[in-house]
RNA sequence: GCCCGGGUGGCGAAACCGGCAGACGCAAGGGACUUAAAAUCCCUAGGGAGGCGACUCCCAUGUGGGUUCGAAUCCCACCCCGGGCACCA
């Protein structure tokens, strides 16, 4: 006899959920057999940043959607591994710690404890044996190890790069912290550009692969599009503008066909050739301009469509197509980090070049006209035009011209086909405290020396005052006793790198760690990794579509190339969930519209809340959070509760059985595609049918009608389903049972409603046997009084028949 | 500016490949039960018009056009909302 509540008692979520939370721990229901699983299924959800505020409904929405899928796969027979961890390093945690004046080392464990408790209450099928935190030395040991692998492969290098610097905060700012050129925290202080030495990972070497592989991944289209745009592939040509003094200016263009209209050349102010090209007369003006640009912050430098500024270098270069001499300018609208840092300006057909040419009175020559012979107002840009003023290419279409001009310049050795990517190398240096120290030592004699792997981890030392200061280096640079070390190579005087690495490096490999958290001598165990990876299902927000997912793919690709992994793509299937907003705006503390799940779970129970979030709207779209409809879900669960209280027995009638199998088909299809809202609606419909059949609570409820319902409900409302399952005299967990089998024969309708249209307008609905043929359907339709009236005795010109759906008579 | 999403009753939404627009739920109105209330159960319900009535007709998926026997769905132009990128040559 199961020790359940008496069947006559109402559903009490608090009691049911407390009982099953305990049970699952006791029985180790959610622990995966990592070494013996026959059908491993890695169900991953993006791990949270453990903020001080705790979980908000957006997190719960995301996790529950992933959990439902994992539970569903388990019921389909898979051995599901569903781990969780905490992304607890980074500027986010550090800034908060500074604000509340508490050390992050103290704050983070507290936040994690709170998150853990909240997550448990949500009822996720998490295997807590493999919890991790990126701040744990056992974890960042291997983050540092990964850095070393990249370093050894020549994919990590230190170089100078411009950063945003706030003279008031005396620290480096991320682009997001610069508001219209001013510091976020000091609105009166202009942010300036400062050049600092930084570590970069050469992700650009992988641009083509990262792009090409996207085609083969089973990922949300929206996410793939974001990645594709971020990588930003452009096909074009590298053209050479030679100078009389012997220098060659290489420009990148996607429109080599317009080269005849290139009336001047522009270099980025930082371009290395500027120095050599600038004439004596122009030197002071050029230097003044370059200084001015260097003073600007990176963000306002990148704000487009402002007034164009620039300076003439005094030098000229030869247009490779026309042979004419064109002036060489410098201007800040040309960016050093894209292409070659130099452009050919075609002011007739490029808006920016046109603005610049107009401002500095440079010649503007149209070289394209429209196909219909007209020339719109300048500037206009089209690829669907015809070349003019272009020598032997006149009359050629732009598309043909792109090929022909490139070929022609190639034979003259003045051009080559070229592919450019927008993707930049990944700067992983942070002049901050709260992160894994970058494992490098600088020796006076040996230079840059990686920390030997056996000396890892480089422990982040305790530091009372971790506030960044004016030095532009990490607060760790204040700890001389920490950074002063002997060189691992020669034993001479050396110092540690004091920068820490980017949080995105922590999160770029955490999925590799989960199955292997019990190994402290390796980042990931080969056997475990082979069994469980790549990840079978990954669900997360599109806010991480670019950085996190791109970096994870990159790190995986590198580890694959270095022979550490057998696969080069980490996530076989990725689905982006939607965002839960409140009153039309993203939830944020500053807006004061954060919805906390705790009170809802306390009032309604986790199961009702889980289901309600899923019923709100399409999972992959998200929606606005309101709680008006939550009682509807509770009413539904109460109804199911009542059904499981009815005596079990009897034989199902055909209508109920048909509806059951139609529901199984619908729910199964929907779960596979994460259409949780419509799956819930289908189960509600089924329950409405069952209740009509078994109105009288004393009547018997056939086992084969109620059990499949409980199983289908289990992914959504796991505690509830366990309790119902037990009420139906089962002793094992519902999750050790199996998904109901769909029987197509039983699901088949015997009768259908055939829509009869006359000239496309519905005039009748006939109940007919399923599978009726066109002649019979037409005969019956024509016999219908109402249809007759609209046909008006005339002959039918055309009959359109869609089997079991519709008959359209055209007269 | 460019690239993605999205716009359907009072509200959240559904509608698979172009085939009954509004499933499912919330809120609402009416009724049953109750001393009463809550809970529960039953009924009604896009808008308009006609009819005592079973019922019938017309209009309706952001706006305007198009394709089609038939359009929420496809095409063209535009408006609004959300997100991403943004002087990327």
């Amino acid at each position: 006899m199961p020790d359940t509540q008496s069947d006559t008692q109402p559903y009490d979520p608090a009691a049911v959920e407390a009982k099953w939370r305990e049970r699952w721990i006791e029985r180790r229901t959610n622990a995966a057999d990592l070494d013996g699983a026959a059908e491993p299924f890695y169900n991953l959800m993006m791990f949270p940043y453990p903020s001080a505020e705790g979980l908000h409904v957006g997190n719960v929405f995301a996790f529950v959607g992933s959990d439902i899928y994992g539970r569903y796969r388990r019921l389909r027979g898979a051995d599901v591994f569903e781990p969780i961890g905490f992304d607890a390093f980074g500027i986010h945690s550090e800034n908060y710690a500074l604000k509340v004046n508490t050390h992050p080392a103290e704050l983070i464990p507290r936040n994690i404890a709170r998150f853990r408790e909240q997550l448990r209450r949500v009822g996720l099928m998490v295997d807590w044996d493999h919890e991790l935190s990126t701040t744990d030395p056992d974890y960042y040991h291997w983050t540092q190890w990964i850095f070393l692998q990249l370093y050894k492969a020549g994919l990590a290098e230190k170089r100078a790069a411009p950063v945003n610097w706030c003279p008031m905060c005396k620290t480096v700012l991320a682009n997001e912290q610069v508001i219209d050129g001013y510091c976020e925290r000091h609105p009166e202080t202009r942010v300036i550009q400062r050049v600092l030495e930084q570590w970069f990972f050469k992700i650009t070497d992988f641009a083509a692969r990262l792009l090409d592989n996207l085609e083969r991944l089973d990922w949300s289209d929206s996410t793939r599009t974001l990645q594709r745009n971020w990588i930003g592939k452009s096909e074009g040509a590298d053209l050479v503008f030679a100078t009389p003094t012997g220098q060659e200016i290489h420009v990148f263009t996607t429109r080599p066909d317009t080269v005849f209209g290139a009336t001047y050349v522009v270099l980025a102010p930082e371009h290395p050739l500027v120095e050599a090209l600038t004439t004596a007369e122009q030197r002071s003006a050029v230097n003044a301009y370059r200084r001015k640009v260097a003073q600007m912050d990176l963000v306002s430098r990148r704000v487009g469509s402002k007034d164009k500024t620039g300076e003439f270098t005094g030098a000229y270069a030869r247009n490779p197509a026309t042979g004419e001499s064109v002036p060489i300018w410098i201007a800040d609208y040309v960016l050093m980090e894209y292409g070659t840092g130099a452009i050919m300006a075609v002011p007739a057909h490029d808006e920016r070049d046109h603005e610049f040419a107009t401002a500095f009175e440079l010649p503007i020559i149209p070289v394209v006209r429209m196909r219909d012979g007209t020339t719109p107002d300048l500037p206009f840009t089209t690829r669907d035009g015809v070349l003019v003023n272009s020598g032997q290419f006149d009359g050629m279409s732009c598309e043909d011209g792109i090929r022909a001009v490139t070929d022609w310049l190639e034979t003259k050795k003045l051009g080559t086909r070229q592919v450019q990517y927008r993707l930049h190398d990944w700067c992983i240096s942070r002049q901050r405290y709260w992160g894994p120290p970058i494992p490098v030592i600088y020796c006076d004699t040996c230079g840059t020396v990686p920390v030997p792997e056996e000396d890892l981890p480089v422990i982040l030392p305790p530091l009372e005052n971790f506030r960044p200061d004016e030095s532009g280096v990490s607060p760790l640079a204040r700890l001389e006793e920490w950074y002063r070390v002997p060189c691992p190579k020669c034993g001479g005087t050396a110092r540690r790198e004091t920068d820490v690495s980017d949080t995105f490096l922590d999160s770029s490999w955490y999925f590799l760690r989960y199955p292997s958290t019990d190994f402290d001598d390796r980042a990931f165990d080969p056997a475990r990794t082979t069994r469980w990876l790549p990840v079978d299902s990954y669900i997360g927000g599109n806010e991480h579509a670019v950085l996190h997912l791109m970096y994870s793919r990159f790190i995986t690709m590198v580890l694959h190339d270095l022979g550490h992994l057998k696969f080069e793509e980490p996530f076989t299937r990725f689905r982006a969930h939607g965002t839960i907003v409140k009153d039309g705006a993203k939830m944020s503390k500053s807006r004061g519209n954060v919805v906390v799940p705790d009170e809802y779970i306390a009032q309604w129970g986790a199961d009702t809340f889980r289901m309600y979030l899923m019923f709100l709207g399409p999972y992959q779209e998200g929606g606005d959070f309101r709680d008006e409809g939550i009682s509807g879900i509770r009413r539904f669960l109460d109804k199911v509760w009542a059904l499981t209280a009815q005596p079990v027995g009897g034989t199902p009638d055909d209508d109920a059985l048909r509806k059951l199998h139609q529901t199984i088909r619908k729910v199964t299809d929907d779960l596979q595609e994460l259409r949780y809202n419509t799956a819930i609606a289908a189960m509600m419909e089924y329950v409405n049918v069952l209740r009509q059949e078994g109105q009288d609570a004393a009547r018997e409820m056939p086992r084969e009608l109620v059990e499949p319902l409980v199983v289908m409900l289990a992914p959504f409302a796991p505690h509830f389903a366990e309790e119902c399952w037990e009420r139906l005299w089962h002793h094992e967990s519902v999750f050790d049972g199996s998904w109901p089998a769909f029987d197509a024969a039983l699901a088949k309708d015997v009768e259908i409603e055939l829509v009869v249209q006359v000239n496309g307008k519905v005039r009748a609905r006939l109940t007919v046997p399923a599978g009726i043929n066109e002649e019979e359907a037409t005969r019956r339709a024509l016999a219908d009084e109402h249809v007759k009236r609209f046909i008006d005795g005339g002959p039918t010109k055309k009959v359109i028949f869609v089997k079991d759906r519709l008959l359209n008579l055209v007269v």
Side-chain angles (χ1 to χ4, degrees), chain A residues 157-161 196-202 425-426:
Chain A
E157 67 180 26
K158 200 171 197 190
R159 56 176 188 252
L196 292 178
E197 289 275 307
Q198 315 260 11
W199 280 98
F200 285 88
F201 280 172
K202 293 202 223 165
D425 277 338
W426 175 13

Side-chain angles (χ1 to χ4, degrees), chain A residues 634-653:
Chain A
R634 176 54 190 270
R635 283 203 269 264
F636 168 68
L637 290 179
D638 281 336
K639 288 174 194 173
V640 178
W641 185 260
L643 286 174
T644 60
Q646 283 178 233
V648 172
T651 40
D653 73 47

Side-chain angles (χ1 to χ4, degrees), chain A residues 8-25:
Chain A
T8 54
Q9 271 184 10
Y11 166 44
D12 174 6
V16 169
E17 288 172 14
K19 168 178 164 183
W20 288 97
R21 273 201 304 275
E22 278 300 301
R23 236 356 130 70
W24 288 334
I25 294 167

